[in-house]
Amino acid sequence: DIQVTQSPSSLSASVGDRVTITCRASQRISNYLNWYQQKPGKAPKLLIYAASSLQSGVPSRFSGSGSGTDFTLTISSLQPEDFATYYCQQTYSTPLTFGGGTKVEIK
Amino acid sequence: QVQLQESGSGLVKPSETLSLTCTVSGGSFSSWYWSWIRQSPGKGLEWIAYIYNSGSTNYNPSLKSRATISMDTSKNQFSLQLSSVTAADTAVYYCARVMLHGGPLYYFDYWGQGTLVTVSS
């Protein structure tokens, strides 16, 4: 199985901050990496697919980059509604696997 | 707008079979792949399986053949059965649509709200 490791597991930030979350795959997965946002009691919501493609309707302050084994999700200017947990997911091979999540909290 | 709604037993006894159904509305059902994902309390996400109209299925080996996914195109529904459950199967179970772009490029673009299944005697 391909393991995906996120870091950090949690972070504290203020509104307006630039936030970066990293996802590392245990083997090369090209750009087959998606990012989701999950708020408490809600289903995950797709933000980024194929490492860097912004899902329709998602604000442009979210961006993704990377290829191979190292990937990044960036929030350029953190907004109050962005406090949530973020997950990466690889689809290079089954079983599909998710990272352990990064919880973004208010500083 | 595509909508998915999970339904099924919220409380299952150990060693019994968990049964869930996802009803899809607002879009074409038979043209897509459909999937189940679960999330244990306070834990991360685990992919369970997906299915396509042709009957093509793919399962997470971690479930050791306990899972069965099926679909009923006449009702716009797909289902999950998980046998021989234990407390470790207690989780929120989500159904989701799989958007494919070809090869390994795919993602879950629509999700149900999730349903909590508790395994307890």
Side-chain angles (χ1 to χ4, degrees):
Chain A
D1 298 4
I2 296 176
Q3 309 302 318
V4 283
T5 304
Q6 283 183 241
S7 60
S9 57
S10 66
L11 64 90
S12 295
S14 300
V15 172
D17 284 354
R18 181 181 182 87
V19 169
T20 298
I21 299 168
T22 296
C23 182
R24 174 164 288 177
S26 60
Q27 66 184 72
R28 295 182 66 84
I29 59 171
S30 185
N31 67 332
Y32 301 121
L33 192 286
N34 308 317
W35 291 96
Y36 299 85
Q37 175 195 66
Q38 186 178 34
K39 296 181 178 179
K42 300 293 187 181
K45 171 189 173 183
L46 178 70
L47 299 176
I48 302 284
Y49 64 93
S52 61
S53 295
L54 192 67
Q55 172 68 347
S56 176
V58 174
S60 58
R61 62 181 180 273
F62 290 94
S63 64
S65 65
S67 184
T69 60
D70 295 320
F71 302 86
T72 299
L73 173 70
T74 300
I75 310 172
S76 60
S77 178
L78 197 66
Q79 297 302 299
E81 60 268 31
D82 300 337
F83 292 96
T85 300
Y86 294 84
Y87 293 94
C88 58
Q89 174 208 24
Q90 69 80 21
T91 62
Y92 181 81
S93 67
T94 58
L96 310 180
T97 48
F98 292 85
T102 296
K103 187 174 184 178
V104 177
E105 299 175 301
I106 301 171
K107 180 183 283 186
Chain B
Q1 178 74 352
V2 177
Q3 292 185 312
L4 295 87
Q5 178 67 57
E6 302 92 347
S7 61
S9 50
L11 179 63
V12 183
K13 291 181 168 57
S15 80
E16 295 190 345
T17 297
L18 175 162
S19 294
L20 296 173
T21 295
C22 183
T23 301
V24 180
S25 59
S28 172
F29 179 73
S30 58
S31 302
W32 301 93
Y33 281 72
W34 304 95
S35 188
W36 288 97
I37 304 106
R38 70 180 182 180
Q39 186 170 34
S40 302
K43 298 291 182 62
L45 297 157
E46 180 181 28
W47 169 72
I48 299 172
Y50 65 64
I51 187 168
Y52 183 58
N53 185 37
S54 65
S56 172
T57 59
N58 198 321
Y59 293 93
N60 191 328
S62 70
L63 294 167
K64 297 178 182 177
S65 302
R66 294 190 296 126
T68 302
I69 190 171
S70 59
M71 63 193 301
D72 185 340
T73 54
S74 67
K75 296 181 179 179
N76 281 12
Q77 293 177 335
F78 65 104
S79 299
L80 174 70
Q81 290 196 312
L82 187 64
S83 63
S84 304
V85 298
T86 70
D89 296 309
T90 293
V92 174
Y93 285 76
Y94 295 100
C95 59
R97 191 181 80 168
V98 185
M99 168 65 84
L100 289 113
H101 284 268
L105 179 51
Y106 53 101
Y107 45 85
F108 303 133
D109 61 345
Y110 288 97
W111 296 64
Q113 66 186 21
T115 186
L116 175 62
V117 177
T118 302
V119 178
S120 175
S121 56

